[in-house]
Amino acid sequence: MSFFGFGQSVEVEILLSDAESRKRAEHKTEDGKKEKYFLFYDGETVSGKVSLVLKNPNKRLEHQGIKIEFIGQIELYYDRGNHHEFVSLVKDLARPGEITQSQAFDFEFTHVEKPYESYTGQNVKLRYFLRATISRRLNDVVKEMDIVVHTLSTYPELNSSIKMEVGIEDCLHIEFEYNKSKYHLKDVIVGKIYFLLVRIKIKHMEIDIIKRETTGTGPNVYHENDTIAKYEIMDGAPVRGESIPIRLFLAGYELTPTMRDINKKFSVRYYLNLVLIDEEERRYFKQQEVVLWRKGDIVRKSMSHQAAIASQRFEGTASLGEVRTPSQLCDNNSRQ
C-alpha cells in the first residue's frame, strides 16, 4: 500500500517469520471465491516484520508513530458498521518521528489466544488479521494481512449412536440408525434404515446435510439454512422388512466444525435430514442434529499446547431433534 503526500510515498508489507514453512489453507471469501491464507492454531506465536520501503529515498517521511495489531473480530453483515473484536493485541514499533530510509521493524505476539475458527457465512464473518499502521496527521497508512485459524478437537469420549423411529399411523413405520452422533470433517456416516411397515408408495428417499447458521439475539435472530449435500438412498418402492445401508463420505463437502454461541453472536449447526417422497410428490422428513469437529492431520510438538486447550473446549453433547408423534406426522404429512 502506498501513501502519496508531501513528496513522499511508502510501501508497507507484513512478512511472517516462518512464511516459507508455514502451511496454507483454503478459505472462502465473501464473494464465494477460495483463496489461500497462512494457517494458525490456538496458542501459536505470530511473529515477523513490518517492512517500509520509501519510494523517494532523498525525502523524509514524518509520522506520529508506527504500530502493528493482531485482531480477531466478528462482523455481522446486517450491522456492518460495528466490528465486534474478541482479540485485540497491539505492539508499538516506533515513536513519533521521521523515516529517512527504508527499514523493517520486528514484531512478535507470543502464544496468541485464538479461541474460534475462521468462518465466512451467509450473514456473518469471523476473521483474524494483522494490521500495520503508520499514523499521519492527515491520513494514516494502513496495511492488513488476513490469516486463517483452525480449531482442533480430540476424539470425543462419549459418541453414542443415533436410533430413532418415524411413522405415520397405519401407513408407514421406519426405523433409522446412525453409527455416531459426532463426526470429524473427514469422517464417514454409516447407518441403516429399516422398513417395518410400508403402505405408502414411496418412490424416492435421500439424506441431506443441512447447515443452519443463526445470527443475532432476541427478536433480531436470523436463520439461514443451506443444503450442503444430497445423498440418494433409494430410488424405487421399498417393501416391509427391507433394510437399506447408508454410507456417506464427508470429505468431499465444504463443512466447518459445529459452532455454538460464538462470542454470543452466531452459531453454526449441522443436521441430517431424512427425506421420503411418495408417488403423489408428498414429502416426509425427519431431522437429526449431529456434531462436526476438526481432527488434526499432523500432530506437531508445537501443537501440544493447542491440543490441550482444544480438548477442554470441545462440547461433547449433541442434542436430539424433537421426535414428532405419528399423529403429528400424519396430520401435517410433513410436507415441505
Side-chain angles (χ1 to χ4, degrees):
M1 180 177 292
S2 297
F3 174 82
F4 297 94
F6 303 103
Q8 181 59 284
S9 63
V10 59
E11 187 79 21
V12 183
E13 190 173 5
I14 302 173
L15 305 170
L16 295 178
S17 56
D18 57 355
E20 292 185 1
S21 59
R22 180 162 292 278
K23 185 178 178 181
R24 292 173 179 256
E26 281 192 345
H27 189 73
K28 187 172 67 173
T29 59
E30 278 189 55
D31 57 8
K33 296 180 181 179
K34 287 185 178 180
E35 294 185 8
K36 285 196 171 185
Y37 300 91
F38 289 109
L39 175 62
F40 283 84
Y41 299 95
D42 186 18
E44 283 193 307
T45 295
V46 181
S47 63
K49 63 182 179 180
V50 176
S51 173
L52 307 182
V53 178
L54 300 183
K55 296 298 184 181
N56 301 312
N58 297 326
K59 295 182 180 179
R60 64 186 182 180
L61 176 73
E62 295 183 357
H63 64 87
Q64 305 302 311
I66 303 171
K67 66 180 180 180
I68 186 159
E69 300 167 272
F70 181 88
I71 297 173
Q73 74 177 22
I74 296 172
E75 179 183 347
L76 299 169
Y77 295 161
Y78 60 81
D79 187 23
R80 284 186 178 271
N82 294 321
H83 294 160
H84 307 278
E85 295 185 357
F86 55 88
V87 176
S88 181
L89 304 173
V90 183
K91 296 281 186 182
D92 290 322
L93 303 178
R95 294 180 178 179
E98 59 183 39
I99 298 174
T100 57
Q101 60 184 3
S102 300
Q103 60 186 110
F105 300 90
D106 294 328
F107 69 87
E108 182 176 82
F109 296 101
T110 307
H111 304 309
V112 183
E113 181 182 5
K114 313 175 198 70
Y116 311 123
E117 174 136 345
S118 299
Y119 177 74
T120 302
Q122 300 284 342
N123 291 317
V124 63
K125 177 172 66 176
L126 188 153
R127 64 186 283 241
Y128 294 87
F129 60 97
L130 291 161
R131 180 166 62 201
T133 304
I134 303 175
S135 298
R136 301 272 299 187
R137 288 182 178 176
L138 296 178
N139 292 310
D140 292 345
V141 184
V142 179
K143 175 70 174 182
E144 292 184 355
M145 185 181 78
D146 281 75
I147 65 169
V148 162
V149 170
H150 283 176
T151 57
L152 301 182
S153 302
T154 56
Y155 280 96
E157 294 180 4
L158 299 175
N159 200 354
S160 56
S161 62
I162 299 170
K163 189 173 183 179
M164 300 184 72
E165 295 183 359
V166 178
I168 301 174
E169 195 170 357
D170 298 327
C171 302
L172 177 70
H173 188 191
I174 65 174
E175 185 178 272
F176 63 90
E177 182 177 4
Y178 304 119
N179 62 329
K180 294 184 286 189
S181 56
K182 309 178 187 74
Y183 298 89
H184 62 77
L185 300 184
K186 306 294 184 183
D187 217 335
V188 182
I189 296 175
V190 178
K192 275 189 177 182
I193 296 176
Y194 305 91
F195 291 88
L196 306 178
L197 176 64
V198 183
R199 289 180 179 171
I200 295 177
K201 293 183 178 180
I202 302 295
K203 71 171 187 178
H204 182 77
M205 190 173 185
E206 68 183 29
I207 285 184
D208 303 337
I209 300 177
I210 295 177
K211 181 177 78 171
R212 180 171 298 161
E213 178 186 290
T214 303
T215 54
T217 55
N220 300 318
V221 174
Y222 300 88
H223 299 286
E224 286 284 349
N225 289 343
D226 186 14
T227 301
I228 304 296
K230 288 181 178 288
Y231 175 75
E232 184 180 281
I233 299 172
M234 178 197 70
D235 188 12
V239 297
R240 180 179 177 180
E242 187 174 5
S243 67
I244 298 176
I246 301 170
R247 197 170 183 86
L248 177 57
F249 293 85
L250 299 180
Y253 303 109
E254 292 185 18
L255 301 168
T256 68
T258 294
M259 303 179 185
R260 292 177 172 168
D261 198 21
I262 299 300
N263 206 44
K264 297 182 179 179
K265 293 292 183 291
F266 73 97
S267 298
V268 179
R269 297 171 183 263
Y270 289 89
Y271 298 84
L272 297 179
N273 191 33
L274 180 65
V275 181
L276 294 86
I277 304 174
D278 66 15
E279 289 187 343
E280 297 180 10
E281 298 299 327
R282 290 178 297 192
R283 297 168 68 89
Y284 311 89
F285 66 92
K286 181 64 184 178
Q287 275 192 4
Q288 171 63 47
E289 183 180 359
V290 292
V291 170
L292 300 185
W293 55 282
R294 185 183 297 280
K295 183 175 67 171
D297 296 328
I298 300 174
V299 178
R300 298 182 296 176
K301 290 183 180 180
S302 62
M303 290 301 300
S304 57
H305 177 68
Q306 146 68 14
I309 294 174
S311 63
Q312 294 172 4
R313 289 197 175 124
F314 181 77
E315 297 184 61
T317 59
S319 62
L320 293 177
E322 181 183 352
V323 180
R324 287 183 291 175
T325 63
S327 59
Q328 288 175 317
L329 277 167
C330 200
D331 290 340
N332 299 328
N333 276 335
S334 300
R335 294 183 184 180
Q336 292 181 336

